[in-house]
Structure formats: C-alpha cells, structure tokens
Amino acid sequence: MHAVAIGPFTTSQADTLASAATRAGVEVEIHSSFEEARIELERGEAPPGCILANAEASLRPIVSWVRARDGWFNLPVLALVPHPSERVFAEAFAMGADDAIVAHDSPGIQRRLANLLDHDPGARPPAQEGVALVASANIHKRRNLGKVLRQAGFSVSFAGEARDLMSASSAVPAPTLVVATPSFPPLGGEAAVRTVRTAAGNPRLPAIVLGSSETETSVSVRVTDPQEHGDEKGKLLFFAEEALRERSGKDQRASERLHYATICAFRMAGLMEPTYGLTHNISREGLFIRTLDPPPRSSEIWLELRTFDDETVHLRGTVMWRREAARVGGTAPPGFGVRLNAAKSPADDLERYASSYLNLSRNRGDVN
C-alpha cells in the first residue's frame, strides 16, 4: 500500500510521517500542497491506500475533491491536527475526515496505516441494505449524501424536485429508506417523506429529514440535536442505523442510543499514553467511538470524555466489538463499542455520566 500526505509540513512533521510509514510497511508520498498532490494523483490509475492531510491548511478541499471522484467510495482521509481538543476534532470530522490524529503522534499514525494495509479504497460495498431515496434540490447535497449511503451499503435513487418523488417511490425495488433535506421544494422535507410513504403504500417507511439541527426518524420522533458542529456524515450514519434497527424489530437494548460527538481519550488499562477518537453514540451502559485505531476485542480500557453537561469524566469498560477499517459497507463507521464497567469506574464519574445522558435525552427534542 502507498499513502499520500498533503501539507504543508514542518521538517519534523515530515520526518514523523516517513518514520511511521516505514514501520507500518507503507510507502508514503509527501506533498507540500494540495495543488501539487492533485497533479500526481490525477496521473495515477488507482487511488492511494489513504490520504493524510494537514487539517489546518488543506483538509476541506481535499475531502471535497476525493468524495467527488467516481469509484473512490472508501478512500480514507485522515486529518493531522496540531493538538487534541474538542474544537479541532469536531472541525476535522465536520469537514469529512474519517479520523483525526495528532500530527506528532508517530505510534498512532503507524497503527492506523498498518490497520489499512488490507483496505481496498476502490471497493464498492454490496447493496445489502436496499434502496435509499435521497430527496434534495441541491445536486451537490444529493451527491454527497448518496456517496455516504453507498458506503453504508445502499443503492441510491435521487429526487431533485416534487415530480421525481412519485416515479422514484413506485420504482422496483421500492425504497427502504428516505433521506430528505428540509428545504425540498415546494413544501419541505417532511412533505417529501409523506409523499414517498403514500406513493410506496408504506406509512412506516424509515425516513430521515436532515437539517442543521433536526432529524425525523421512522417512528415520527422529532430529534433536536443540541450539538451545533456539523458532522453530517456521522449523523446520517447514526440515524440510518437507528431507522433500520427500528424496521428490523430486533432492538433489545437496555437503554436508547443517542447521537453524541465529542473527543474521547482512550487507552489500555494501566497505560499512560492515550490515543483519541470521536464518540459516535452513547447509552447508559456504553458508547461507540469512531477511530481507525480500535483496541482489541475483550480488552479492558480506560477513557475520558467531556459530557453533554460539560464535565470531564473518567470511565472504565470492556471492548465488546470492533468495526474494522478494511470492512466495506454497513451503517456503523470504523471504531469500537465499549460496555461500561460500573464496578471499576469511579462512582462519582459514572453518576455524572448517567445524569448527563438523561439531560442529553431531554434536550434532543420531544416525542410526537
């Protein structure tokens, strides 16, 4: 595998990248700018294994360019950030990065590159989840949402205006999920969802209305997301998974999962040096963390995160499952799920976490 790193980088940062890539068994091409890298990438016939981008200088245009290229469905873009903080991690994921790494964290870069050795960035996931109908008047929004849903294992149909909805709704195979933007003409995203459900003869058809702060799920629950940063991909994957879980009727969880994105430091029990990920969802009993560097299954880990109530807590738990970076398809992003260990976690921190979970649930909106 070969990787492409796009700067600018200091001499020290470039040396860190080169050293980490060598230890991972990966060849890395280092470019000082996106313009320079794009010329070389456009000459190649196959995509690189991954792209590492200076988050402060070039991340947004790189992500936009990569996602617009046909066939690069699963090319990971890793953001290199100057330091681990809520703001820089939130911004990196909001711009479309698949992971964020502190630029001087050589072991963390090495592990992520090694985990991607068997990843095929050009592989198209099988459409095992059915057909997702994307309703949006904005062609760029339709394409971006469509690419996320293709990555998740849907085939995708599109509607750019009201008259497209009827034909798309009655097509064979029928839609299994509707994703609409709130400004869909002429009456908005909720009206588009009602139109599709009526045309498909399925009033319970899973549906999502994505906006800056509101989402509607398949059970007509209006959810107001209290987090303002726009990790649209994470939100779409989360609510798509919840909609499909509701459709399957196999949800046996002890408490509801809530979408919550915040930086999370995690490490194997007893170690001092952490690595960092972004929480994807939380429940009273556990949480899922987005990262390309998941710990081994069954390992005991310690983690720290800032709760919705703006309190930092230390928790302990067990890694129950991992979503490998090399696996294509599926609504869960790469990362790992943790079941919290109440007996080993500090009692005060566990209580603060549980209280914050309840407050997040209350603040996300009303059930209609």
Side-chain angles (χ1 to χ4, degrees):
M1 184 186 90
H2 82 281
V4 172
I6 304 174
F9 300 114
T10 65
T11 301
S12 176
Q13 290 172 335
D15 289 344
T16 296
L17 285 167
S19 177
T22 298
R23 293 195 303 273
V26 173
E27 297 180 2
V28 62
E29 302 171 11
I30 299 177
H31 299 276
S32 61
S33 69
F34 175 45
E35 291 74 18
E36 174 186 302
R38 182 167 57 185
I39 292 172
E40 294 300 318
L41 287 168
E42 288 178 342
R43 288 174 180 169
E45 296 182 0
C50 70
I51 291 178
L52 303 102
N54 182 325
E56 294 183 305
S58 52
L59 181 59
R60 189 181 297 278
I62 289 169
V63 171
S64 297
W65 181 76
V66 167
R67 303 305 182 223
R69 290 183 66 86
D70 291 336
W72 290 21
F73 291 101
N74 292 290
L75 176 59
V77 178
L78 286 62
L80 295 170
V81 300
H83 52 83
S85 74
E86 177 70 26
R87 180 186 64 81
V88 297
F89 264 63
E91 289 179 352
F93 279 88
M95 286 189 282
D98 296 289
D99 203 353
I101 321 168
V102 179
H104 60 72
D105 181 9
S106 182
I109 296 171
Q110 175 188 342
R111 289 193 301 271
R112 286 165 173 85
L113 291 176
N115 288 342
L116 291 170
L117 284 173
D118 296 327
H119 178 66
D120 181 359
R124 186 180 184 117
Q128 297 176 331
E129 305 295 349
V131 179
L133 170 55
V134 178
S136 174
N138 185 304
I139 187 172
H140 299 293
K141 177 70 72 173
R142 291 200 302 271
R143 287 174 177 171
N144 289 338
L145 294 175
K147 283 185 177 291
V148 174
L149 291 164
R150 285 193 185 101
Q151 282 184 304
F154 292 89
S155 61
V156 183
S157 62
F158 298 97
E161 54 188 39
R163 65 181 180 180
D164 298 334
L165 287 175
M166 297 302 293
S167 58
S169 303
S170 57
V172 178
T176 56
L177 176 70
V178 183
V179 178
T181 52
S183 59
F184 188 82
L187 299 177
E190 292 182 33
V193 168
R194 289 193 295 269
T195 298
V196 176
R197 284 173 167 170
T198 299
N202 182 1
R204 303 283 292 177
L205 179 65
I208 301 169
V209 178
L210 282 177
S212 59
S213 62
E214 294 182 343
T215 299
E216 181 179 285
T217 70
S218 60
V219 290
S220 297
V221 177
R222 179 162 296 286
V223 180
T224 301
D225 191 336
Q227 293 188 284
E228 295 183 356
H229 56 75
D231 176 22
E232 187 171 80
K233 178 178 179 179
K235 290 179 183 179
L236 178 55
L237 290 174
F238 172 78
F239 287 112
E241 181 177 19
E242 293 301 291
L244 294 176
R245 188 185 300 274
E246 175 70 22
R247 182 187 68 185
S248 71
K250 298 180 179 179
D251 190 356
Q252 300 181 3
R253 298 172 298 189
S255 63
E256 183 183 10
R257 291 179 184 174
L258 304 176
H259 181 261
Y260 182 63
T262 187
I263 189 173
C264 179
F266 61 91
R267 60 194 186 278
M268 301 289 284
L271 298 184
M272 294 293 292
E273 189 69 25
T275 189
Y276 300 91
L278 192 80
T279 60
H280 181 58
N281 63 59
I282 65 172
S283 68
R284 280 196 303 266
E285 297 77 26
L287 62 160
F288 185 87
I289 299 167
R290 292 177 65 181
T291 179
L292 295 175
D293 185 19
R297 186 175 178 178
S298 299
S299 59
E300 299 295 317
I301 67 163
W302 296 354
L303 48 88
E304 288 85 29
L305 68 151
R306 190 175 299 277
T307 69
F308 174 65
D309 293 336
D310 203 30
E311 296 179 311
T312 301
V313 295
H314 171 88
L315 303 169
R316 301 184 180 188
T318 303
V319 177
M320 302 304 296
W321 69 285
R322 294 161 36 118
R323 170 59 155 78
E324 304 289 349
R327 178 183 168 188
V328 297
T331 50
F336 64 101
V338 178
R339 183 177 64 194
L340 297 179
N341 188 319
K344 294 184 179 181
S345 297
D348 289 346
D349 283 15
L350 192 64
E351 182 178 349
R352 283 193 286 266
Y353 173 83
S355 175
S356 179
Y357 167 81
L358 291 177
N359 288 336
L360 175 63
S361 179
R362 296 188 186 106
N363 278 272
R364 72 191 180 97
D366 298 322
V367 177
N368 297 326

